[in-house]
Amino acid sequence: MLRLIAALLIGVTLSVAPAYAATKVTVNGVPISDIEISQRTKLLSLEGGGGSSKAAMDQLINEQLQLQEAKKFNITITEQQVDDAFQQVSRNVKVSTDKLREILLSRGVSVDTMRARLRAALAWQQLSGIVVQSRVKVSDLELDKEASAALNTDTSYDYILKEILFISTTGNAAARTGQANAYRKAFTGCDSAVQLSLNYTDAAVREMGRRHATQLPDALAKELAGLNVGGITKPRVTEQGVSMLAVCAKNAARDTTFIKNKLRSQQGSEAMKAESEKYLQELKAKAKIVYS
């Protein structure tokens, strides 16, 4: 047992003591050690990214360049920001932060390794908002053309909608769907939607207000396009229960606002990504990177 404890203590010492780390590359004079590369390799492997030492080294070099450039703009990432980002990662993978730490440690990855990566990502995100975003231009004229071309007979309507929701718990979706179909068969229009819902347990009517077809999923927009005022869609199982939409008003409207916003977001994201990569390559070209 004493030998086992001693071995564990030696392992911990090696993992935290910089004196035992060998420098593999320097980025503008800042060293990156073999331990950092080994740790990042394990993290990449855990994420399913291949986990090669070259990929890990490249990533660490990029992050060091990003942090150094962020420092020039007086960008500082606090511990609380890193904590919040770590918590968001745990939410994304649907585990607690304690469980995420446990998973990392079980694969030989220091929590500080992930925190370092998150810190660099947050710094680069802020820096991109200052520098990169100003370089990105999205043409409104091109957006208008693409948005207009995207409209079709299913997406050229404006609606006033009500949602009828049959709240369901695990295992009773089929029964609730049957009740929703009975409601749908008896439905005579939006004015009596609430009154009709009183005949059912845990049935709610929600005002959705104005919705343009381009705001809705394609399949739903197509179904609504085939309905007249007073019509109601087929039941759909959702996370909350079994849902139907009632058409309270319907008007032809070739509104490209929502399509344009979506296109602007997509094109802006793609342009930001490309410009961000270009910016990083510019930093790399000017940097003094020395391999040991």
Side-chain angles (χ1 to χ4, degrees), residues 136-144 146-147 256-272:
V136 174
K137 305 295 180 186
V138 178
S139 168
D140 272 341
L141 181 60
E142 287 301 316
L143 287 177
D144 283 330
E146 290 186 44
T256 62
T257 303
F258 304 103
I259 295 178
K260 275 186 68 175
N261 288 342
K262 186 176 180 180
L263 288 171
R264 180 178 280 109
S265 177
Q266 290 173 343
Q267 292 187 14
S269 295
E270 291 169 3
M272 278 286 289

Side-chain angles (χ1 to χ4, degrees), residues 66-107:
Q66 292 167 347
L67 288 167
Q68 290 175 14
E69 187 71 0
K71 188 175 181 180
K72 293 178 184 177
F73 286 81
N74 297 316
I75 293 172
T76 302
I77 304 302
T78 66
E79 290 301 311
Q80 184 60 56
Q81 286 175 294
V82 178
D83 287 342
D84 292 342
F86 190 86
Q87 187 174 61
Q88 187 57 55
V89 171
S90 70
R91 286 179 186 147
N92 290 344
V93 296
K94 295 180 171 58
V95 297
S96 67
T97 52
D98 287 342
K99 182 63 178 178
L100 179 57
R101 291 188 183 93
E102 183 183 322
I103 292 170
L104 290 171
L105 294 174
S106 71
R107 298 292 291 270

Side-chain angles (χ1 to χ4, degrees), residues 49-287:
S52 73
S53 58
K54 182 183 183 306
M57 182 185 290
D58 288 343
Q59 192 175 81
L60 288 164
I61 290 170
N62 290 343
E63 288 175 8
Q64 188 54 234
L65 289 169
Q66 292 167 347
L67 288 167
Q68 290 175 14
E69 187 71 0
K71 188 175 181 180
K72 293 178 184 177
F73 286 81
N74 297 316
I75 293 172
T76 302
I77 304 302
T78 66
E79 290 301 311
Q80 184 60 56
Q81 286 175 294
V82 178
D83 287 342
D84 292 342
F86 190 86
Q87 187 174 61
Q88 187 57 55
V89 171
S90 70
R91 286 179 186 147
N92 290 344
V93 296
K94 295 180 171 58
V95 297
S96 67
T97 52
D98 287 342
K99 182 63 178 178
L100 179 57
R101 291 188 183 93
E102 183 183 322
I103 292 170
L104 290 171
L105 294 174
S106 71
R107 298 292 291 270
V109 181
S110 165
V111 173
D112 287 340
T113 296
M114 175 169 275
R115 289 178 66 85
R117 182 176 182 180
L118 292 172
R119 186 181 299 279
L122 291 168
W124 188 242
Q125 185 180 49
Q126 285 194 29
L127 183 62
S128 296
I130 296 170
V131 179
V132 179
Q133 195 163 16
S134 63
R135 301 184 182 186
V136 174
K137 305 295 180 186
V138 178
S139 168
D140 272 341
L141 181 60
E142 287 301 316
L143 287 177
D144 283 330
K145 288 180 180 178
E146 290 186 44
S148 294
L151 284 177
N152 55 46
T153 54
D154 296 335
T155 56
S156 297
Y157 292 101
D158 223 8
Y159 300 96
I160 301 294
L161 300 171
K162 285 185 178 181
E163 181 188 33
I164 296 84
L165 179 66
F166 284 74
I167 302 167
S168 67
T169 56
T170 304
N172 73 341
R176 299 257 71 187
T177 300
Q179 293 173 345
N181 276 318
Y183 179 100
R184 183 169 180 258
K185 187 175 181 180
F187 185 76
T188 57
C190 289
D191 290 342
S192 59
V194 173
Q195 186 63 39
L196 182 58
S197 70
L198 298 178
N199 296 328
Y200 302 88
T201 303
D202 292 331
V205 178
R206 181 171 69 97
E207 299 283 349
M208 291 187 64
R210 177 185 176 271
R211 290 287 190 279
H212 192 267
T214 53
Q215 292 176 274
L216 303 169
D218 291 343
L220 195 52
K222 184 177 182 65
E223 184 178 3
L224 286 168
L227 297 176
N228 296 320
V229 173
I232 186 170
T233 63
K234 296 175 183 178
R236 283 179 171 77
V237 177
T238 68
E239 290 183 2
Q240 293 77 34
V242 179
S243 172
M244 298 178 292
L245 295 183
V247 181
C248 304
K250 178 180 178 181
N251 295 290
R254 291 180 62 81
D255 188 347
T256 62
T257 303
F258 304 103
I259 295 178
K260 275 186 68 175
N261 288 342
K262 186 176 180 180
L263 288 171
R264 180 178 280 109
S265 177
Q266 290 173 343
Q267 292 187 14
S269 295
E270 291 169 3
M272 278 286 289
K273 184 177 179 181
E275 200 61 43
S276 180
E277 182 59 30
K278 181 180 176 183
Y279 185 24
L280 182 58
Q281 292 307 315
E282 290 170 3
L283 295 178
K284 191 173 286 186
K286 293 184 292 185

